[in-house]
Structure formats: C-alpha cells, structure tokens
Amino acid sequence: MTSGPPTLDDVAREARVSRSTASRAINGADRVSPEAQAAVEAAVARLGFTPNRAARSLVTRRTDSIALVVPEPDTLMLTDPFLTGVLRGVTDGIAGTDLQLVLLLSRTGEAPGRIARYLGSGHVDGAIIASAHERDQLEAALTRSHLPAVFVGRPFGDASGHHYVDVDNVAGSRLATQRLVDRGCRHIGTVTGPQDMSAGIDRLRGWRETLRAAELPTDAIAHSDFTGTGGATAAAALLDQHPDIDGIFAASDLLAEGVLRTLRSRGRRVPEDVAVVGFDDLGVAQHTTPRLTTVHNPVVATTKAATAALLGLLSGAPIPAAPQIFPPYLVEGESA
Amino acid sequence: MTSGPPTLDDVAREARVSRSTASRAINGADRVSPEAQAAVEAAVARLGFTPNRAARSLVTRRTDSIALVVPEPDTLMLTDPFLTGVLRGVTDGIAGTDLQLVLLLSRTGEAPGRIARYLGSGHVDGAIIASAHERDQLEAALTRSHLPAVFVGRPFGDASGHHYVDVDNVAGSRLATQRLVDRGCRHIGTVTGPQDMSAGIDRLRGWRETLRAAELPTDAIAHSDFTGTGGATAAAALLDQHPDIDGIFAASDLLAEGVLRTLRSRGRRVPEDVAVVGFDDLGVAQHTTPRLTTVHNPVVATTKAATAALLGLLSGAPIPAAPQIFPPYLVEGESA
DNA sequence: CTGTTAGCGCGTTCAA
DNA sequence: TTGAACGCGCTAACAG
C-alpha cells in the first residue's frame, strides 16, 4: 500500500515470474522466453518501474554516472562560450545511455585536491576533464586511481598516459597568422592566452612558426588571460611598443574583441590600418564590429568525441591510445 | 588483499570497534565515546575510507544528489551568461555539503517528458529548475511526484504551489524605462524577450507601466527572442515604423547589443539620437560600444538562494512558501 | 555507550 | 528457461 516506488519484486509479482526472470528480462539477457519477456515489459510499463540505481550500483559495482570537470570562469563571460560548447558536447555524447552527468565546477581559490579526491572515491565510473588549466594534482590523482578519463584539450605537462581530444591549436594559429601575412601585413603582433594552458602555448607557437617561415619579425608579443579586458590592455601595450603594427593575431575571440575596442579608441581602422584575426568562433566573432575573421574551434565536436572515447573505455573497448586531433578552419569576417 | 576500496568493515576492524560504532562515529551521532571517535577517525584517515554512496542510499532512501535543469542555449552565446551564473550559484550553494550535482540539459527538440520522467524516478532528492521556458509537463510532473524543487525565475503559468526565487523583473524594467524618461526621451520603444517566459512578459510590463505613468506612447513594441541577431532585426523594424524613436529599452543585454549594432549601421548616435538601456549586466554590457547602461540581474545570488531554499526543503525545514524576490538596480553606462 | 541483527533493492551464481 | 539463495556496503532498530 504505502510502498513507495515499485520494486523489481512488484514487477515480478505482476508479471507472474520470479524476480530473477524479471531482472533478466529488464537487462536484456538472452535466456528469457518471449512470453516472460512480454509479461515483464507489460508489468514494467503498467507499474512505471524504474530500477533503483543505488541497489543496482551496489551489486554491479558501477555507478552509471560520469563526472564532467570544468573550470570556473574567471569572470562571467570569460570562458562561457567554451563552457556551453562542452556542456552540449557531453550531453549529446551520453544521449541514449542511462549515464548520469555529475558536474564538478573547479573553484579557483579552493582547497586543491577536492576534485581529485572526489574522482578517486569511486563515486563515478569515469570523467571528462575540460579543465584547461594546469592541475598536477588532478592528473596525478587520475593516473593513480586508474579512473577512466578523457581530457578535452591536451593536458598541460606530460600528456602521455592520458587520453585526450583536441583541436589542432598550432595549425589553427598558423592559419590565422598566414591570413595576415597573405593580406600583406609586415609587422604582425599577437595577444597570447595564458601560458599555463596548452591552448595558450600552442597558439603562440603557430604564430611564431608562421612568421619565421615568412621571415617577418616575431617581437610583438603581449601576454594576457583569456578575457576581453585583458585583450584590450594587451593591445594597448602592443601599440605603444610597436606603433607600426599592421596585424594582430589574438589567441581567442574574447581577446580579439578587446583588441578591436582598443584599436577603435585609438582611431586605427580595421582592417585597413590593422588587421585582426581571432580564434574560437564560438559566437563572439559574429557580434563584433567589424565582424571578426577567426579560426573555428569545434568544441562541441571535440567534446562529443571525448565523451565517445570515455564510453569506449567504460565498455572495455580496445583503447586507441593516440589522441584525436580535430582540424580547425578559417572563418571569413571583415577584420582581416 | 585484492579488496578494492576500503569498506566500513575495514575501518571498524582497524579501529577495533564494531561496524555500527564506526558508522555512528562517521555520521556524527552523539553516542560515541571520545576514544572510539578518535580511533575511527584515525582509521578512516589511514585507510582513505569514503562511504559507498550506493550502499548508503539504499538504506537511507536518499540519493544525496540534486538535479539542475537548465535550458540548452538556442545559440551558442545566447543564454550563456545566464547559464554560467546559474552554475556558479548552485555550486556555491551546495559547497560544504556532500551533495552531488546532476546536470540535466534540456534539449530543444527532444521528446518532451524525458526530464520529467527522470525527476520522477527517484534518482535525485530534489531539483533546481533554471529552465525559463514554458514546460507544462515539467511543472505538472513536479507537483505530481512531490519532488522538492525550486525554480530560478518565476515558473510560467500558475506559479502557486511552486517555490521560486527571482529578480523583480517588473521593477527592473521600470528602472530602465524611467531612466530613459528622465533623460528626456519622448518616444520610447522596446525590444521584448520571448513572451513564453515570465522574464519576457514582466519586462515588457514594466516598460508599459512606466510609459503610461509618464503619459508617453506605448506603441513602439518589437518582439524578439533573446539573441543579439533578434535584437538587431527588431530594432530595424522599430526604426522603420517609428522613425522618431529616441529611446529603446531592450529586455536583455544580448538584445541591446543587437540594437546598438542596428543603430550604428543606420547612423544614429547613441545616446544623443537614441538612448538605449538593457537588462542583465552579466558581462555583455561592459563590452559593447558605447558601454551599455543596464539593469543588474543578480543571477548568482538568486540561484544561490534557490539552492539554499532547496537544502531547506530537503532538511525538512519549515518551508517559507513565499517566493524570494531580489531587487535589481541600474548600472551606469554610456548608452543612456 | 556499544555490538548484534536485519534488511534496503538488485544482479547473479547454482540447481533444477 | 526458470527460481531460490546469497551478498554488495551501509544504517537503524534493538538489546545489552
């Protein structure tokens, strides 16, 4: 009467079979007669039965849930587009499974190791790590605990031993920089992202390589975090030190947006006086004035791939140890 | 030897007490001697014991996890700032508890009821619903299942019977519109948000009320979704139909951003020719040109409050049925 | 204050 | 193909 949610026993009784048979029918085992199968299915539908996850976990020793670790945005608006893409990618990736997605937002000033401890405690079957920043503890804890995990974005430091999916950041920044070279820019600067993230490092590298190949100067570098404000400040520094700059590669669209603001306030026309190319194409680029030329970063696709890889690991599939690297491509705008 | 994670039995053995005592010590019951308490704590630390959630859930009939239901952004960049704020609010809100956060991203084109079914299946102890859109099924399912839930933003339709926390959208849009009135605008238009969201409706209402009180015309209305592109289109329509417009209240900053773009492309100066006020202040406003005058929407605070309210419900605290409404305030920019 | 005893709901042997 | 029995790790009565 006051029974709460229906249990497997209720289903079995309703279907006039034993609990084991009901269990087998529900979990798609093969040794079940068609009649029994049908009876169980009918009973399940009639009762609205849903397996109790806790009970199931207890015996299967799986939690049927995975963790998604994401960095807390430094400022609202900062990593937002990235965050949104990641969320969508993972959600898409687990659609159709009965996996629960447990969200772990890594707080900036928090006691280090909270997340590592959580991941090591057996509360989840695996993890997607979209945390771009350096996190020695996390990576170490991950290898120690043998928790199946896939990174979105090459892990900082030694990537060997970790599965990851990434966009080819070096190729992307080459694309961006080459565009500036091709349109005739002779002194091309860059506003970099944080150098404790692989994306920040790689995007600087592509810029440098392209300019070297073109035998152009590589002296105009301004470091920044991935914020619009940071980009504006960095661009100002760049213009002060190198007034003759005629092109800027910004390591993200958010940065580029700040760069455009500075250029406008200084009366430099874009792209006539200074051409600008960004990176990411996650929505910001379409809303700038002028519309930003940028490099598309397929975040949803990479995250989806990472999730698929994790599902593979969980199902014990043969593991392709090699990272999956997605190609970026240039998106036409008006800024270059 | 090959035992896997340590169990309560291991702890008990290590601490030389019974399992029950160990359990009591760990769960902070009172009837435990100081020595036993210390012994257990030492054993826990030594073994790195973490309670098995599944086993605990099975007996306590609680899952120690809550769901966060958020709408999938219609476009990247769209509801991003909102989403980020919500995530932070909830995360802050459950910090210090051992609650798991299960993320439920509501897909736009999905089979309706997926989320409702999930919430009704006993997989979580409660839910925060940040889904602004109309979702009859969800609200109905929620009342039917008696799952403790708190909405962020007044639920669409009949809000009675639902707990919610919200910013005072009507007051906010009054603030915005009054600002335009005060600076001398005589023909003030509005670009609305979707009229199937309470925020969209309320923000339109505040605009109308303010203009009526000021005895100014309320004929210049253009509806839109909450995207920048939508705002740009709506603003164009507004200018076409009412060329003499000298002020626009946009129901969100994203909309306002689109409005500014249209005004610029039509050669209208802001704020000299047309003054603009937005709503939300979630990061977008600071990056527009000119910097947007807007109304601050304390998303993190409301979401945190919603989470606190949910925790209260879960602990069986006396439930304040009345919604918590947060006051908005005007943020100075250059656009009005 | 402590230990003993019983399940929580489910998957999975093992015989039949 | 089916059912009976067991145990996953833990909390909560109940005696002591």
Side-chain angles (χ1 to χ4, degrees), chain A residues 61-333:
Chain A
R61 300 177 157 292
R62 291 180 305 108
T63 64
D64 289 325
S65 62
I66 63 173
L68 171 61
V69 181
V70 293
E72 177 181 51
D74 296 339
T75 70
L76 284 178
M77 178 78 188
L78 162 53
T79 41
D80 282 8
F82 178 71
L83 181 61
T84 307
V86 167
L87 251 30
R88 181 136 77 187
V90 174
T91 306
D92 285 0
I94 63 171
T97 75
D98 67 339
L99 253 33
Q100 266 187 345
L101 183 63
V102 176
L103 189 69
L104 264 34
L105 204 61
S106 65
R107 325 294 225 32
T108 44
E110 81 188 334
R114 180 183 66 96
I115 291 182
R117 216 172 311 121
Y118 182 89
L119 293 180
S121 300
H123 296 322
V124 293
D125 298 336
I128 300 287
I129 317 288
S131 181
H133 282 280
E134 180 172 14
R135 338 192 118 266
D136 285 327
Q137 305 212 25
L138 223 190
E139 305 182 14
L142 241 27
T143 42
R144 222 178 311 117
S145 69
H146 296 292
L147 184 77
V150 180
F151 286 76
V152 175
R154 177 165 52 81
F156 192 85
D158 183 14
S160 70
H162 295 293
H163 297 269
Y164 74 90
V165 179
D166 205 353
V167 64
D168 191 334
N169 284 300
V170 176
S173 57
R174 279 205 210 105
L175 236 42
T177 310
Q178 189 62 48
R179 166 52 155 262
L180 293 170
V181 171
D182 289 347
R183 92 187 303 287
C185 298
R186 303 297 312 274
H187 196 180
I188 301 172
T190 185
V191 176
T192 77
Q195 296 298 299
D196 66 341
M197 302 195 203
S198 54
I201 296 172
D202 291 356
R203 293 177 188 184
L204 172 57
R205 197 174 121 210
W207 170 85
R208 187 177 276 130
E209 289 179 4
T210 304
L211 293 188
R212 289 222 175 113
E215 301 187 350
L216 290 174
T218 60
D219 57 340
I221 300 178
H223 293 293
S224 172
D225 54 12
F226 271 143
T227 68
T229 308
T233 308
L238 228 40
L239 291 173
D240 288 343
Q241 292 168 33
H242 310 274
D244 64 325
I245 269 187
D246 54 6
I248 297 180
F249 164 56
S252 88
D253 290 349
L254 245 28
L255 286 176
E257 185 271 320
V259 169
L260 290 179
R261 259 188 291 148
T262 294
L263 289 173
R264 189 179 314 128
S265 76
R266 300 235 175 161
R268 307 276 189 124
R269 293 168 305 164
V270 176
E272 294 81 359
D273 300 333
V274 182
V276 177
V277 181
F279 202 124
D280 275 345
D281 188 35
L282 297 173
V284 179
Q286 306 158 28
H287 298 295
T288 58
T289 312
R291 209 153 32 75
L292 199 60
T293 295
T294 188
V295 174
H296 184 75
N297 178 5
V299 180
V300 177
T302 49
T303 311
K304 212 148 133 181
T307 308
L310 181 61
L311 295 186
L313 289 179
L314 293 183
S315 71
I319 35 178
Q324 295 179 60
I325 308 296
F326 283 62
Y329 56 86
L330 200 71
V331 176
E332 296 294 334

Side-chain angles (χ1 to χ4, degrees), chain B residues 92-168:
Chain B
D92 285 0
I94 63 172
T97 74
D98 66 339
L99 253 32
Q100 265 186 344
L101 183 62
V102 176
L103 189 68
L104 264 33
L105 204 60
S106 65
R107 326 293 225 33
T108 46
E110 80 188 334
R114 180 184 66 98
I115 290 182
R117 216 172 311 120
Y118 182 90
L119 293 181
S121 299
H123 296 322
V124 292
D125 298 336
I128 300 286
I129 318 288
S131 179
H133 280 281
E134 180 171 16
R135 340 193 116 265
D136 285 325
Q137 305 212 25
L138 222 191
E139 306 184 13
L142 241 27
T143 43
R144 222 179 311 117
S145 69
H146 296 293
L147 183 77
V150 180
F151 286 77
V152 175
R154 177 166 52 80
F156 193 86
D158 183 14
S160 68
H162 294 293
H163 297 270
Y164 74 90
V165 179
D166 205 353
V167 64
D168 190 334

Side-chain angles (χ1 to χ4, degrees), chain B residues 14 40 43 60 75-77 115 128 172 174 193 200 217 220 236 294-295 324 336:
Chain B
E14 180 85 7
V40 170
T60 60
T75 69
L76 284 180
M77 177 78 189
I115 290 182
I128 300 286
R174 279 205 210 103
T294 188
V295 175
Q324 294 180 60

Side-chain angles (χ1 to χ4, degrees), chain B residues 8 19 23 27 49 56:
Chain B
L8 191 55
R19 220 184 42 232
S23 174
N27 294 317
F49 170 77
R56 177 180 277 177

